[in-house]
Amino acid sequence: SNFPFTVFPACNGKGSCGLNVKTADAGGGRNHQVFGVEDFLCVLLLLAYIGWSYVFEKCHVLHETGAAVLVGLIAGYVMQIFYGRAASFSYEMFSYILLPMVIF
């Protein structure tokens, strides 16, 4: 076949059946590494959110929006230092991903 994978039915003999997928390329290690990093970053983001909520519930020195602006400025500065370029604004990402969270 022209596809890099084959799909075939499989049963284990105990009444449980399903599909097995066999790939032609055994280089799945990179995919697992990328997904592992994404999972780790999601956990860090969740911890940052929990910490953010706790700090602003107990500490009233700076308003949340002011802190968000400062965090954005620092993140942009760090990104410019490490990657040599500034972040670009994507209207599509703002409209379809960020704006609905603000509205709803």
Side-chain angles (χ1 to χ4, degrees):
S1 80
N2 294 334
F3 299 109
F5 61 89
T6 56
V7 179
F8 53 93
C11 292
N12 65 1
K14 297 178 183 176
S16 176
C17 294
L19 294 175
N20 281 344
V21 179
K22 182 178 179 183
T23 60
D25 181 22
R30 174 77 178 135
N31 291 338
H32 291 294
Q33 181 182 8
V34 170
F35 288 127
V37 170
E38 287 177 352
D39 290 341
F40 179 69
L41 291 176
C42 286
V43 168
L44 284 180
L45 186 64
L46 181 63
L47 288 174
Y49 175 73
I50 292 170
W52 179 279
S53 299
Y54 179 76
V55 166
F56 285 106
E57 184 177 315
K58 301 292 181 190
C59 178
H60 299 287
V61 175
L62 183 65
H63 195 270
E64 292 180 16
T65 54
V69 169
L70 288 176
V71 168
L73 286 172
I74 292 169
Y77 181 70
V78 168
M79 188 164 71
Q80 182 155 2
I81 287 176
F82 285 113
Y83 297 112
R85 61 184 176 101
S88 61
F89 180 76
S90 171
Y91 180 75
E92 287 81 18
M93 187 178 98
F94 176 76
S95 297
Y96 297 124
I97 297 174
L98 297 175
L99 192 59
M101 288 190 283
V102 173
I103 293 173
F104 301 109

